Amino acid sequence: MDGRGLGRSVRAVGSMTPVWGIRTVCTAVRRRRADAAGLPPRGAERARVPGVVAEVVPGPGGGSIRFARSRLRVLVTVTGAVFWGWDGAGPEPSYGLAGAVPEPDARAALEPDMDGGWRVVSERVTLVVSRLGGVRVCTPGGVVLREVAPPRWWEPVDGGAARWMERAEVAADARFFGLGGRSAGPRLPDGTYRMWNTGPRKAFGPGDDPLSLTMPVQLVVADAGTHLVFHDTTWDGSVTLQEGEEGLGSGHDRPGTVEWRSDGGPLRCWVVVGSPARVLHTWVSLTGAPVVPPTWALGHHHARQGFGSAAEVRRVVAGYRKRGVPLDAVHLGADHLDGHRVFTADPGRYPDLPGLARELARDGVRLVSVVGPAVKAERGNAVFESGREARAFVREGGGRKAVGTSKAGASVYPDFTDPGARAWWGGWYGERLAQGFAGFWHDLDEPVSFTAFGERTLPRSARHSLEGRGGDHREAHNVYALGMARAGYEGVRRARPAERPFVFSRSGWVGLQRYGGAWSGGVVTGWPGLRASLAWVLGLGLCGVPYSGPDVGGGTDGPSAELYVRWFQLGAYLPLFRTHAALRAARREPWAFGEEALGHARAAAVERRRLVPYFGTLARVAARTGAPYVRPLWWGAPEDRKLRDCGDAFLLGDALLVAPVLDPGVVEREVQLPEGTWYDVVSGKRFTGPGRVRVAAPLSRIPVLARAGAVVPVRGEGDERELEVWPPVPGSAGGGLVVTDAGDGWESDVVERFTTRLRGGRVVVRRHGGGPVGYPVRVREVDPPPSRGAVVGQA
């Protein structure tokens, strides 16, 4: 912590209780002293550039290029992903990658290029390295997607981590997406984005940055093609983006620019080129397939930081049941813990958690427990005593345990970069499962001391295992929550090997999807917060984390009934659908906003319940292909510039287009349509894209359009799966997927493909490969009908 941060902590005392104020100042002073002792002053630095090519050694998939002052390794893999690393850095070790690095593409190798440079030509991408170390990424046809200048770095004269900087240019028409969970966007505006997971000091809205889940992953979409860039370093850093300008035919285009900076290395980079679907497929083949949530987790969740007691939980669940609003899970916040001690329930307020869990389960409602990384440092605390014996906690440079401040008081923190500490921590989840919990919600895992000010819990000099390599918190901070998610996921798998774990986190890093999903943390209550919620979910999906969602209603007081209804309606079409209220926020049960709002919320929750089979299919598709549930409108047509610039609507899979209402007083809105024919799911009115259309958006619903010919699996009568079919237009075919499994375990899924076609005035539905359809089929009525007397025919 610098002097400015210390000053903020001191000024905070006036707004807190005396005890909290003293703890804040003491923690800040302790961190500052630890960093002063554990981190030597940086001192003088030596600026470096690669120099001129001196030697080239071709090899399978690329090879090695030695420059005067550095060495570049280049690798093209069989998946089409391209890697390069400076100072001879290879792709491992890496927290971002899952498993072994893909095999090299034996057909590709370094070969001479013009002007003393070298190139690697593969099926999906051509990489050209100049004689001075610049790197050009091109399509197979030779169109330049990214022009990277030779890097620069600054080495401390007395030794230590080098600071790196890399500048690149992209096409003038390119648009930027990604960088993890960002409140601006989903198209990222010009500006500097920090790569340091940070607990917001307040509820966040558009423009607040950084947030809890940053990722050095850029997705760049241009007319020439789409490419993804991953700078694989966990150190603090920043990315500065500036879109280009076209010369309107004059030939004087100004390219877009990207400047990447990092406080540590190595400088290594992965690039994937192709269509958006192909890019995300290759990306998750590198970083790991997204886990499939249990089916109940695809329903409606309700959370509150302060239920207060088991009796209040029962009252709220009974309220949902009485009013006919579907509910699938209840999340207990930190107030259910005994003095905020992790994994320890308050016996006074929750005397029989297993009994409460069994009672709720009879109504189809699961219990989810909050888990934070802070362990109260006191004798007699079983988790603290056990962790001390296991030597599982992060330590300062001198060997003492690093102590921070949490709501429980003086606390220590497990080292989630240590395999032994992860195994120890994961063992505690079994006890929580035995108490009746079915899933886990990770909070404050950036980590931070307390959400009010977002201060770092651990000094940057704190020592971490980093899988046995050793290092300090500067390198471990960004992957701390990723390690916690892994520990929780693996602990649940060991305790309940027959069931799919349910774990989701506020923070994380590249590869979080291997262990679970994400939630936004406290988004500001207001219309800007509603807009930020959508941007956050879309951005994470494009970084490979498909299961995520915001706090419906926001994290502060006072949503109006209209805002609550619109937020609830949006949440019903997002992967994680969770209403949540913080300790000091107004309650978020739908009946708290009046009868009209309750009716509209009930309709949205009932529709979400009906669509759970479709969300289950999207979850399985994401695990197989990396395609997010929630996709930008340009997903299938990235060359459409109007779609690239549209951030107020999204595709839910291939079948549905959702256009949420993001401003007050709206009863009708414009929607930018992709190519094709679309039907309003309520009125059946037909619209044709591409182009802008006006659609009805009464307070009772948000516009949802179905693609002509789509087949959507839904929950029908008696909770049985049925196929909802939207008629194709004459002369065209349609179709859809149904991916099913036998339950919430690890059974193999079954992929069923269906096609639709108009034939003789009938909508004919066929199973790919022949045989009976196997499900009840309901053809939706549309206006005007595509053909007279359209009825279903099965074959």
Side-chain angles (χ1 to χ4, degrees):
M1 169 178 284
D2 57 17
R4 184 180 303 172
L6 181 59
R8 282 198 302 265
S9 295
V10 172
R11 288 192 299 273
V13 174
S15 62
M16 306 181 72
T17 65
V19 172
W20 270 105
I22 294 171
R23 288 176 181 172
T24 301
V25 174
C26 290
T27 300
V29 170
R30 186 165 53 242
R31 277 197 300 269
R32 192 176 187 189
R33 287 176 176 172
D35 285 345
L39 296 177
R42 190 159 188 93
E45 295 179 323
R46 182 185 299 112
R48 313 286 280 179
V49 293
V52 181
V53 171
E55 181 184 22
V56 177
V57 181
S64 175
I65 305 175
R66 185 170 62 83
F67 293 82
R69 286 175 289 278
S70 189
R71 185 165 64 93
L72 176 67
R73 291 181 59 179
V74 178
L75 172 68
V76 178
T77 70
V78 292
T79 65
V82 178
F83 168 84
W84 70 77
W86 286 97
D87 274 359
E92 295 180 304
S94 170
Y95 278 99
L97 304 188
V101 177
E103 292 292 321
D105 184 347
R107 299 168 298 176
L110 283 167
E111 57 187 51
D113 193 52
M114 297 182 296
D115 300 324
W118 293 76
R119 65 180 181 177
V120 182
V121 179
S122 69
E123 182 180 356
R124 298 186 188 177
V125 63
T126 296
L127 200 72
V128 181
V129 181
S130 77
R131 66 186 186 90
L132 296 177
V135 178
R136 188 159 64 248
V137 180
C138 307
T139 67
V143 178
V144 178
L145 297 177
R146 193 179 191 93
E147 184 89 39
V148 184
R152 299 182 66 186
W153 66 101
W154 292 263
E155 297 174 345
V157 173
D158 296 329
R163 297 185 296 115
W164 290 83
M165 187 269 286
E166 177 190 270
R167 290 195 175 106
E169 293 183 348
V170 297
D173 67 282
R175 299 291 182 261
F176 300 107
F177 301 86
L179 297 183
R182 302 287 172 169
S183 59
R187 167 188 164 190
L188 296 174
D190 292 352
T192 298
Y193 299 85
R194 191 178 177 194
M195 298 291 114
W196 185 258
N197 290 344
T198 304
R201 292 187 292 274
K202 57 181 178 57
F204 70 85
D208 288 330
D209 191 84
L211 299 180
S212 300
L213 213 174
T214 68
M215 295 184 185
V217 180
Q218 309 159 37
L219 190 71
V220 185
V221 184
D223 288 354
T226 300
H227 71 280
L228 178 148
V229 178
F230 168 40
H231 286 98
D232 192 358
T233 179
T234 64
W235 288 74
D236 193 359
S238 65
V239 176
T240 300
L241 306 176
Q242 183 175 20
E243 292 182 355
E245 292 183 359
E246 295 183 282
L248 300 178
S250 69
H252 293 87
D253 292 351
R254 179 177 62 78
T257 59
V258 182
E259 181 178 282
W260 176 85
R261 291 177 178 268
S262 175
D263 287 348
L267 171 49
R268 52 186 186 173
C269 191
W270 285 91
V271 174
V272 184
V273 174
S275 67
R278 173 170 279 188
V279 165
L280 265 294
H281 190 195
T282 302
W283 175 236
V284 299
S285 74
L286 281 173
T287 61
V291 297
V292 178
T295 302
W296 60 265
L298 297 172
H300 175 212
H301 304 235
H302 182 77
R304 198 198 299 172
Q305 286 283 13
F307 275 108
S309 68
E312 176 66 4
V313 173
R314 292 185 175 95
R315 189 195 69 79
V316 170
V317 173
Y320 274 103
R321 185 172 61 250
K322 174 183 176 181
R323 294 167 176 85
V325 182
L327 181 67
D328 297 274
V330 168
H331 297 207
L332 300 186
D335 78 295
H336 87 280
L337 301 173
D338 185 11
H340 294 278
R341 295 173 180 86
V342 65
F343 299 125
T344 307
D346 185 326
R349 290 179 293 172
Y350 294 87
D352 182 17
L353 268 175
L356 174 65
R358 288 192 298 270
E359 180 182 330
L360 297 184
R362 288 195 290 269
D363 291 326
V365 178
R366 272 74 170 186
L367 271 183
V368 175
S369 172
V370 71
V371 178
V375 176
K376 187 170 185 177
E378 67 173 359
R379 294 189 181 277
N381 178 1
V383 180
F384 173 71
E385 299 286 4
S386 172
R388 189 168 58 172
E389 291 180 10
R391 298 187 61 81
F393 299 123
V394 176
R395 296 182 175 271
E396 295 179 357
R400 297 188 307 169
K401 289 184 288 292
V403 179
T405 303
S406 74
K407 292 181 179 180
S411 301
V412 292
Y413 294 79
D415 182 2
F416 293 119
T417 70
D418 179 8
R422 288 197 298 267
W424 164 78
W425 182 262
W428 290 96
Y429 287 71
E431 293 197 8
R432 296 255 86 186
L433 291 170
Q435 291 173 334
F437 289 102
F440 300 93
W441 151 33
H442 288 180
D443 194 6
L444 301 176
D445 51 343
E446 291 80 6
V448 297
S449 289
F450 39 84
T451 56
F453 302 102
E455 299 288 353
R456 291 190 301 273
T457 296
L458 301 176
R460 292 188 174 223
S461 58
R463 303 300 299 173
H464 290 260
S465 166
L466 290 169
E467 315 308 316
R469 293 180 286 111
D472 59 44
H473 194 65
R474 294 175 298 173
E475 187 176 358
H477 175 88
N478 278 335
V479 293
Y480 187 88
L482 178 71
M484 182 176 174
R486 178 178 178 179
Y489 174 84
E490 292 177 347
V492 175
R493 284 207 65 172
R494 287 194 300 271
R496 296 271 179 88
E499 299 178 11
R500 298 198 298 270
F502 178 59
V503 177
F504 67 101
S505 305
R506 187 170 90 166
S507 188
W509 203 64
V510 174
L512 178 64
Q513 73 276 2
R514 302 192 293 261
Y515 313 116
W519 68 292
S520 65
V523 61
V524 67
T525 296
W527 295 95
L530 174 60
R531 190 174 292 271
S533 297
L534 177 56
W536 188 88
V537 172
L538 278 166
L540 270 187
L542 295 175
C543 291
V545 181
Y547 182 84
S548 68
D551 285 345
V552 168
T556 52
D557 289 335
S560 65
E562 180 190 8
L563 173 60
Y564 177 81
V565 166
R566 292 309 196 188
W567 215 319
F568 199 95
Q569 290 167 338
L570 169 62
Y573 292 96
L574 298 180
L576 173 59
F577 176 26
R578 185 177 92 141
T579 48
H580 179 224
L583 281 171
R584 293 176 295 276
R587 290 164 58 174
R588 296 289 187 265
E589 293 83 26
W591 54 90
F593 297 88
E595 286 299 318
E596 182 183 12
L598 170 62
H600 299 330
R602 181 191 299 116
V606 168
E607 179 64 6
R608 171 56 175 253
R609 186 173 183 83
R610 195 178 75 89
L611 288 174
V612 162
Y614 184 51
F615 276 91
T617 288
L618 296 179
R620 291 287 179 172
V621 169
R624 285 170 169 259
T625 69
Y629 312 14
V630 170
R631 308 166 188 175
L633 294 184
W634 49 259
W635 179 258
E639 70 284 353
D640 188 329
R641 297 188 181 187
K642 291 182 179 179
L643 295 180
R644 290 207 299 260
D645 294 341
C646 182
D648 62 355
F650 60 91
L651 299 174
L652 184 61
D654 289 328
L656 301 179
L657 188 158
V658 182
V661 173
L662 304 176
D663 297 296
V666 172
V667 295
E668 186 180 69
R669 60 154 292 178
E670 286 192 342
V671 179
Q672 185 73 42
L673 289 183
E675 186 175 5
T677 298
W678 300 83
Y679 300 111
D680 185 308
V681 299
V682 173
S683 69
K685 185 176 180 181
R686 185 194 303 187
F687 302 95
T688 301
R692 294 190 71 84
V693 298
R694 294 197 68 83
V695 294
L699 185 60
S700 59
R701 65 182 179 93
I702 57 174
V704 179
L705 307 178
R707 192 187 299 270
V711 176
V712 181
V714 298
R715 180 175 283 164
E717 296 293 332
D719 286 345
E720 295 296 322
R721 184 180 284 107
E722 68 179 27
L723 302 184
E724 183 172 80
V725 176
W726 293 90
V729 296
S732 298
L737 292 177
V738 178
V739 187
T740 61
D741 59 40
D744 287 337
W746 301 98
E747 299 84 1
S748 298
D749 51 18
V750 177
V751 180
E752 301 170 290
R753 293 178 172 84
F754 299 92
T755 60
T756 60
R757 187 178 295 275
L758 281 175
R759 183 170 296 169
R762 296 162 58 89
V763 177
V764 179
V765 183
R766 295 183 183 274
R767 177 192 292 272
H768 182 76
V773 170
Y775 300 101
V777 175
R778 182 165 64 97
V779 177
R780 293 293 298 265
E781 295 183 4
V782 296
D783 182 28
S787 180
R788 288 187 59 191
V791 296
V792 66
Q794 300 184 27

